[in-house]
Coordinates of all heavy atoms in Angstrom, one line a residue:
M1 N 95.2 55.3 67.3 CA 96.3 55.7 66.5 C 97.5 55.0 67.0 O 98.0 55.2 68.2 CB 96.4 57.2 66.5 CG 97.6 57.7 65.8 SD 97.4 59.5 65.6 CE 98.9 60.1 66.2
L2 N 98.2 54.2 66.2 CA 99.4 53.5 66.6 C 100.6 54.3 66.1 O 100.6 54.8 65.0 CB 99.4 52.1 66.0 CG 98.3 51.2 66.6 CD1 98.4 49.9 65.8 CD2 98.5 50.9 68.0
M3 N 101.6 54.3 66.9 CA 102.9 55.0 66.6 C 104.0 54.1 66.7 O 104.0 53.2 67.5 CB 103.1 56.3 67.4 CG 102.0 57.4 67.2 SD 102.4 58.8 68.2 CE 103.6 59.6 67.2
D4 N 105.1 54.4 66.0 CA 106.3 53.6 66.1 C 106.9 53.8 67.5 O 106.9 54.9 68.0 CB 107.2 54.1 65.0 CG 108.6 53.4 65.0 OD1 108.5 52.2 65.1 OD2 109.6 54.1 64.9
P5 N 107.4 52.7 68.1 CA 108.0 52.9 69.4 C 109.1 53.9 69.5 O 109.4 54.6 70.5 CB 108.5 51.5 69.8 CG 107.6 50.6 68.9 CD 107.3 51.3 67.7
G6 N 109.9 53.9 68.4 CA 111.0 54.9 68.3 C 110.5 56.3 68.3 O 111.1 57.2 69.0
T7 N 109.4 56.6 67.6 CA 108.8 57.9 67.6 C 108.3 58.3 69.0 O 108.5 59.4 69.5 CB 107.7 58.0 66.6 OG1 108.2 57.6 65.3 CG2 107.2 59.4 66.5
M8 N 107.7 57.3 69.6 CA 107.2 57.6 71.0 C 108.3 57.9 72.0 O 108.2 58.8 72.8 CB 106.4 56.4 71.5 CG 105.1 56.1 70.8 SD 103.9 57.4 71.2 CE 103.4 57.0 72.8
L9 N 109.4 57.2 71.9 CA 110.5 57.4 72.7 C 111.1 58.8 72.4 O 111.5 59.5 73.4 CB 111.6 56.3 72.5 CG 112.8 56.3 73.4 CD1 112.4 56.2 74.9 CD2 113.7 55.2 73.0
A10 N 111.2 59.1 71.2 CA 111.7 60.5 70.8 C 110.9 61.6 71.4 O 111.4 62.6 71.9 CB 111.9 60.6 69.3
L11 N 109.5 61.4 71.2 CA 108.6 62.4 71.8 C 108.8 62.5 73.3 O 108.7 63.6 73.9 CB 107.2 62.1 71.4 CG 106.8 62.3 70.0 CD1 105.4 61.8 69.7 CD2 106.9 63.8 69.6
A12 N 108.9 61.4 74.0 CA 109.0 61.4 75.4 C 110.3 62.1 75.9 O 110.3 62.8 76.8 CB 108.9 59.9 76.0
N13 N 111.4 61.8 75.1 CA 112.7 62.4 75.4 C 112.6 63.9 75.2 O 113.2 64.7 76.0 CB 113.8 61.8 74.6 CG 114.1 60.4 75.2 OD1 113.9 60.0 76.3 ND2 114.7 59.5 74.3
D14 N 112.0 64.3 74.1 CA 111.8 65.8 73.8 C 111.1 66.5 74.9 O 111.5 67.5 75.4 CB 111.1 66.0 72.5 CG 112.0 65.6 71.3 OD1 113.2 65.5 71.5 OD2 111.5 65.5 70.2
R15 N 110.0 65.8 75.4 CA 109.2 66.4 76.5 C 110.0 66.5 77.7 O 109.9 67.5 78.5 CB 107.9 65.6 76.7 CG 107.0 66.1 77.7 CD 106.5 67.5 77.4 NE 105.7 68.0 78.5 CZ 105.5 69.3 78.8 NH1 106.2 70.2 78.2 NH2 104.8 69.6 79.8
R16 N 110.8 65.5 78.0 CA 111.6 65.5 79.2 C 112.6 66.6 79.2 O 112.8 67.3 80.1 CB 112.3 64.1 79.4 CG 113.1 64.0 80.6 CD 113.5 62.5 80.8 NE 114.1 62.4 82.1 CZ 115.4 62.5 82.3 NH1 116.2 62.6 81.3 NH2 116.0 62.3 83.5
R17 N 113.2 66.8 78.0 CA 114.2 67.9 77.9 C 113.5 69.2 78.0 O 114.1 70.2 78.6 CB 114.9 67.8 76.5 CG 116.0 66.8 76.4 CD 116.7 66.9 75.1 NE 117.2 65.5 74.7 CZ 116.6 64.8 73.8 NH1 115.5 65.2 73.1 NH2 117.0 63.6 73.6
E18 N 112.3 69.4 77.5 CA 111.6 70.7 77.7 C 111.3 71.0 79.2 O 111.5 72.1 79.6 CB 110.3 70.6 76.9 CG 110.4 70.7 75.4 CD 109.0 70.5 74.7 OE1 108.0 70.5 75.4 OE2 109.1 70.4 73.5
L19 N 110.9 69.9 79.9 CA 110.6 70.1 81.3 C 111.9 70.5 82.1 O 111.8 71.3 83.0 CB 110.0 68.8 81.9 CG 108.6 68.5 81.4 CD1 108.1 67.1 81.9 CD2 107.6 69.6 81.9
I20 N 113.0 69.8 81.8 CA 114.3 70.2 82.4 C 114.7 71.6 82.1 O 115.1 72.3 83.0 CB 115.3 69.1 82.0 CG1 115.0 67.7 82.6 CG2 116.7 69.6 82.4 CD1 115.9 66.7 82.1
A21 N 114.5 72.0 80.9 CA 114.8 73.4 80.5 C 114.0 74.4 81.2 O 114.4 75.4 81.7 CB 114.7 73.5 78.9
E22 N 112.7 74.1 81.4 CA 111.8 75.0 82.1 C 112.2 75.1 83.6 O 112.2 76.2 84.1 CB 110.4 74.5 82.0 CG 109.7 74.7 80.7 CD 108.3 74.1 80.6 OE1 107.7 73.9 81.7 OE2 107.8 73.9 79.5
A23 N 112.6 73.9 84.1 CA 112.9 74.0 85.6 C 114.2 74.7 85.7 O 114.4 75.5 86.7 CB 113.1 72.5 86.0
D24 N 115.2 74.6 84.8 CA 116.4 75.4 84.8 C 116.2 76.8 84.8 O 116.7 77.6 85.5 CB 117.4 74.9 83.7 CG 118.0 73.6 84.0 OD1 118.0 73.1 85.1 OD2 118.6 73.0 83.0
S25 N 115.3 77.2 83.8 CA 115.0 78.7 83.7 C 114.3 79.2 84.9 O 114.6 80.4 85.4 CB 114.2 79.0 82.4 OG 112.9 78.4 82.5
E26 N 113.4 78.5 85.5 CA 112.8 78.9 86.7 C 113.8 79.1 87.9 O 113.7 80.0 88.6 CB 111.7 77.9 87.2 CG 110.4 78.1 86.4 CD 109.7 79.4 86.8 OE1 109.7 79.8 87.9 OE2 109.2 80.0 85.9
R27 N 114.7 78.1 88.0 CA 115.7 78.2 89.0 C 116.6 79.4 88.8 O 116.9 80.1 89.8 CB 116.6 76.9 89.0 CG 117.4 76.7 90.2 CD 118.2 75.4 90.2 NE 117.4 74.3 89.8 CZ 117.6 73.5 88.7 NH1 118.6 73.8 87.9 NH2 116.8 72.5 88.4
L28 N 117.0 79.7 87.6 CA 117.8 80.8 87.3 C 117.1 82.1 87.6 O 117.7 83.1 88.2 CB 118.3 80.9 85.8 CG 119.3 79.8 85.5 CD1 119.5 79.8 83.9 CD2 120.6 80.1 86.1
L29 N 115.8 82.2 87.2 CA 115.0 83.4 87.5 C 114.9 83.6 89.0 O 115.0 84.8 89.5 CB 113.7 83.4 86.8 CG 113.7 83.6 85.3 CD1 112.3 83.3 84.8 CD2 114.2 85.0 85.0
T30 N 114.6 82.6 89.7 CA 114.4 82.6 91.2 C 115.7 83.1 91.9 O 115.7 84.0 92.7 CB 114.1 81.3 91.8 OG1 112.8 80.9 91.1 CG2 113.8 81.3 93.3
N31 N 116.9 82.6 91.4 CA 118.2 83.0 92.0 C 118.4 84.5 91.7 O 119.0 85.2 92.5 CB 119.3 82.1 91.5 CG 119.3 80.7 92.1 OD1 118.7 80.5 93.2 ND2 119.9 79.8 91.4
A32 N 118.1 84.9 90.5 CA 118.3 86.3 90.1 C 117.5 87.2 90.9 O 117.9 88.3 91.4 CB 118.1 86.5 88.6
R33 N 116.2 86.8 91.2 CA 115.3 87.6 92.0 C 115.8 87.7 93.4 O 115.8 88.8 94.0 CB 113.9 87.1 92.0 CG 113.2 87.3 90.7 CD 111.7 86.8 90.8 NE 111.1 86.7 89.5 CZ 110.7 85.6 88.9 NH1 110.8 84.4 89.5 NH2 110.2 85.6 87.7
R34 N 116.3 86.6 93.9 CA 116.8 86.6 95.4 C 118.1 87.5 95.4 O 118.2 88.2 96.4 CB 117.2 85.2 95.8 CG 116.0 84.4 96.2 CD 116.4 83.0 96.7 NE 115.3 82.2 96.8 CZ 115.3 80.9 96.7 NH1 116.4 80.2 96.4 NH2 114.2 80.1 96.9
A35 N 118.9 87.4 94.5 CA 120.2 88.2 94.5 C 119.8 89.7 94.4 O 120.4 90.5 95.1 CB 121.1 87.8 93.3
R36 N 118.8 90.1 93.5 CA 118.4 91.5 93.4 C 117.8 92.0 94.7 O 118.1 93.0 95.1 CB 117.4 91.6 92.2 CG 117.0 93.0 92.0 CD 116.0 93.1 90.9 NE 116.6 92.6 89.6 CZ 116.0 92.0 88.7 NH1 114.7 91.8 88.8 NH2 116.6 91.6 87.6
R37 N 116.9 91.1 95.3 CA 116.4 91.5 96.6 C 117.4 91.7 97.7 O 117.4 92.7 98.4 CB 115.4 90.5 97.1 CG 114.0 90.6 96.5 CD 113.0 89.7 97.2 NE 112.0 89.3 96.2 CZ 111.8 88.1 95.9 NH1 112.4 87.1 96.5 NH2 110.9 87.8 95.0
A38 N 118.4 90.8 97.7 CA 119.5 90.9 98.7 C 120.3 92.2 98.4 O 120.7 92.9 99.4 CB 120.4 89.7 98.6
R39 N 120.6 92.5 97.2 CA 121.4 93.6 96.8 C 120.6 94.9 97.2 O 121.2 95.8 97.8 CB 121.7 93.6 95.3 CG 122.7 94.6 94.9 CD 123.2 94.4 93.5 NE 122.1 94.0 92.6 CZ 122.1 92.9 91.9 NH1 123.1 92.0 92.0 NH2 121.1 92.6 91.1
R40 N 119.4 94.9 96.9 CA 118.6 96.1 97.3 C 118.5 96.3 98.8 O 118.7 97.4 99.3 CB 117.1 96.0 96.8 CG 116.9 96.3 95.4 CD 115.5 96.3 95.0 NE 115.3 96.3 93.6 CZ 114.2 95.8 93.0 NH1 113.2 95.3 93.7 NH2 114.1 95.9 91.7
A41 N 118.4 95.2 99.6 CA 118.3 95.3 101.0 C 119.6 95.7 101.6 O 119.7 96.6 102.5 CB 117.9 93.9 101.6
R42 N 120.7 95.2 101.0 CA 122.1 95.6 101.4 C 122.3 97.1 101.2 O 122.9 97.9 102.0 CB 123.1 94.8 100.7 CG 124.5 94.9 101.3 CD 125.4 93.8 100.8 NE 125.4 93.7 99.3 CZ 125.0 92.6 98.7 NH1 124.7 91.5 99.3 NH2 125.0 92.6 97.4
N43 N 121.9 97.6 100.0 CA 122.1 99.0 99.6 C 121.2 99.9 100.5 O 121.6 101.0 100.9 CB 121.7 99.3 98.2 CG 122.8 98.6 97.3 OD1 123.9 98.4 97.7 ND2 122.4 98.5 96.0
T44 N 120.0 99.4 100.8 CA 119.1 100.2 101.7 C 119.7 100.4 103.1 O 119.7 101.4 103.7 CB 117.7 99.6 101.8 OG1 117.2 99.5 100.4 CG2 116.8 100.4 102.6
L45 N 120.2 99.3 103.6 CA 120.8 99.3 104.9 C 122.1 100.2 105.0 O 122.3 100.9 105.9 CB 121.2 97.9 105.4 CG 120.0 97.0 105.8 CD1 120.5 95.6 106.1 CD2 119.2 97.6 106.9
A46 N 122.9 100.1 103.9 CA 124.1 100.9 103.9 C 123.8 102.4 103.7 O 124.5 103.2 104.2 CB 124.9 100.4 102.7
A47 N 122.7 102.7 103.1 CA 122.4 104.1 102.8 C 121.7 104.8 104.0 O 121.5 106.0 104.1 CB 121.6 104.3 101.6
R48 N 121.1 104.0 104.9 CA 120.3 104.5 106.0 C 121.2 105.3 106.9 O 122.3 104.9 107.3 CB 119.7 103.3 106.8 CG 118.3 103.6 107.2 CD 117.8 102.4 107.9 NE 116.8 101.7 106.9 CZ 116.4 100.5 107.1 NH1 116.8 99.8 108.0 NH2 115.5 100.0 106.2
G49 N 120.8 106.5 107.3 CA 121.5 107.3 108.2 C 122.6 108.2 107.5 O 123.3 108.9 108.2
Q50 N 122.7 108.0 106.2 CA 123.7 108.9 105.5 C 122.9 109.9 104.6 O 121.9 109.5 104.1 CB 124.6 108.0 104.6 CG 125.4 107.0 105.4 CD 126.3 106.1 104.5 OE1 126.2 106.3 103.3 NE2 126.9 105.2 105.1
P51 N 123.4 111.1 104.5 CA 122.7 112.1 103.7 C 122.7 111.8 102.2 O 123.6 111.1 101.8 CB 123.5 113.4 104.0 CG 124.8 112.9 104.4 CD 124.6 111.6 105.1
D52 N 121.7 112.2 101.6 CA 121.6 112.0 100.1 C 122.4 113.1 99.5 O 122.4 114.2 100.0 CB 120.2 112.0 99.6 CG 119.5 110.7 100.0 OD1 120.2 109.7 100.3 OD2 118.2 110.7 100.0
G53 N 122.8 112.9 98.3 CA 123.5 114.0 97.5 C 124.9 114.1 97.9 O 125.5 113.4 98.6
N54 N 125.5 115.3 97.4 CA 126.9 115.5 97.6 C 127.2 116.8 98.4 O 128.2 117.4 98.2 CB 127.7 115.5 96.3 CG 127.1 116.6 95.3 OD1 126.2 117.3 95.7 ND2 127.7 116.7 94.2
L55 N 126.3 117.2 99.3 CA 126.4 118.4 100.1 C 127.4 118.1 101.2 O 127.6 117.0 101.7 CB 125.1 118.8 100.7 CG 124.0 119.2 99.7 CD1 122.7 119.4 100.5 CD2 124.4 120.3 98.9
T56 N 128.2 119.1 101.5 CA 129.2 119.0 102.6 C 128.6 119.1 103.9 O 127.4 119.5 104.0 CB 130.3 120.1 102.5 OG1 129.7 121.3 102.6 CG2 131.1 120.0 101.2
S57 N 129.2 118.6 104.9 CA 128.7 118.6 106.3 C 128.6 120.0 106.8 O 129.3 120.9 106.5 CB 129.6 117.8 107.2 OG 129.2 117.8 108.5
C58 N 127.6 120.2 107.7 CA 127.4 121.5 108.3 C 128.3 121.7 109.6 O 128.3 122.8 110.2 CB 125.9 121.7 108.7 SG 124.8 121.7 107.3
E59 N 129.0 120.6 110.0 CA 129.8 120.7 111.1 C 131.0 121.6 110.9 O 131.5 121.6 109.7 CB 130.2 119.3 111.5 CG 129.0 118.4 111.9 CD 129.5 117.0 112.2 OE1 130.7 116.8 112.3 OE2 128.6 116.1 112.3
P60 N 131.5 122.3 111.9 CA 132.8 123.1 111.7 C 133.9 122.2 111.3 O 134.0 121.1 111.8 CB 132.9 123.8 113.0 CG 132.1 123.1 114.0 CD 131.0 122.3 113.3
S61 N 134.8 122.7 110.5 CA 135.9 122.0 110.1 C 137.0 122.0 111.1 O 137.2 123.0 111.8 CB 136.4 122.6 108.8 OG 137.6 121.9 108.4
A62 N 137.8 121.0 111.2 CA 138.9 120.9 112.2 C 140.1 121.6 111.6 O 141.1 121.8 112.3 CB 139.2 119.5 112.6
A63 N 140.2 121.8 110.3 CA 141.4 122.4 109.7 C 141.4 123.8 110.0 O 140.4 124.5 109.9 CB 141.3 122.1 108.2
V64 N 142.6 124.3 110.3 CA 142.8 125.8 110.6 C 143.6 126.3 109.4 O 144.7 125.8 109.0 CB 143.6 126.0 111.9 CG1 143.9 127.4 112.2 CG2 142.8 125.3 113.0
P65 N 143.2 127.5 108.9 CA 144.0 128.1 107.8 C 145.3 128.5 108.2 O 145.5 129.0 109.4 CB 143.1 129.3 107.3 CG 142.1 129.5 108.4 CD 142.0 128.3 109.2
A66 N 146.3 128.4 107.3 CA 147.7 128.8 107.6 C 147.8 130.3 107.7 O 147.1 131.0 107.0 CB 148.6 128.2 106.6
Q67 N 148.7 130.8 108.6 CA 148.9 132.2 108.8 C 150.1 132.7 108.0 O 151.1 132.2 108.0 CB 149.1 132.5 110.3 CG 147.9 132.1 111.1 CD 146.9 133.3 111.3 OE1 147.3 134.5 111.3 NE2 145.7 133.0 111.6

């Protein structure tokens, strides 16, 4: 099957654009995954050692009521 050289060139260029678009989307997804993992790790480290919820501390308060 013979094809016009212009058609072959157009098909080749279309395929090249498709490959570039796929590579770009893969790169974006990879960067988003890395950012999400880093954010999760940072939040986990920040929350470690701190109590969950909004309960007040059991330690005695330093404030003295006024007389």
